[in-house]
Amino acid sequence: MKIINDMPNADYHAHPAVSKSVLDKIAKSPLHARAYLDGTRDEPTAAMLFGTALHTAVLEPQRFTSEYAVWEGERRTNAGKAAYEALLATGATLISADERDAINAMTASIQQHQVASDLLKIGQAETSVFWQHPATNLECKCRPDWWRQ
């Protein structure tokens, strides 16, 4: 087994090893798996985007701070449109103030929960794990949300 901390997400997904995501797609059909491997992805829903932001805030707070920004302005004026475009140009993922407030409240709730906070004291987020499947000899991979070594 090979464990890699701090592997960029794009590098993990580009790695050709078999993952659960691919197995889920091939269970649907080989065509679904091929499309997935070729980079075809469904557009994420608003709930999925919120979940990703929450996941990042809880498990990778430094990344959340650097990759997410709150848009609270008005886009009906030229100045507002320009400010919005400038914020988009930073590459940050934009969330609303309401989303930020909900994420902050949920993060605080997790941090105040005795069991949850204890579980997250030791370990690392998004560790990439690779191994050889003994029966098929296929290289496999996984990227657990939290890896307690």
Side-chain angles (χ1 to χ4, degrees):
M1 183 180 320
K2 184 170 155 183
I3 300 169
I4 303 174
N5 294 314
D6 302 320
M7 180 181 214
N9 194 40
D11 292 351
Y12 169 80
H13 286 289
H15 193 284
V18 176
S19 68
K20 183 179 181 313
S21 298
V22 171
L23 295 175
D24 287 345
K25 298 296 181 186
I26 205 161
K28 214 172 191 183
S29 79
L31 188 58
H32 283 90
R34 175 52 36 211
Y36 180 81
L37 290 169
D38 289 342
T40 302
R41 304 286 194 272
D42 295 331
E43 282 297 314
T45 64
M48 291 166 72
L49 293 171
F50 179 84
T52 299
L54 175 62
H55 170 104
T56 305
V58 171
L59 300 178
E60 301 175 279
Q62 311 85 347
R63 209 178 115 224
F64 181 80
T65 303
S66 67
E67 293 182 13
Y68 287 84
V70 176
W71 172 254
E72 298 184 85
E74 182 59 56
R75 292 192 301 175
R76 288 187 264 182
T77 65
N78 287 338
K81 288 176 190 173
Y84 180 78
E85 291 300 323
L87 192 54
L88 277 180
T90 67
T93 300
L94 302 185
I95 59 175
S96 70
D98 287 344
E99 289 170 322
R100 178 212 43 218
D101 293 346
I103 288 167
N104 287 343
M106 295 166 99
T107 300
S109 180
I110 291 166
Q111 291 168 343
Q112 293 167 8
H113 189 277
Q114 183 67 46
V115 175
S117 64
D118 283 349
L119 286 171
L120 296 174
K121 283 181 183 169
I122 300 169
Q124 184 167 335
E126 305 300 335
T127 297
S128 300
V129 183
F130 299 87
W131 71 97
Q132 207 79 27
H133 187 276
T136 64
N137 210 30
L138 287 172
E139 186 176 18
C140 300
K141 66 181 179 179
C142 70
R143 193 169 166 98
D145 292 339
W146 192 254
W147 180 263
R148 288 177 54 102
Q149 297 161 310

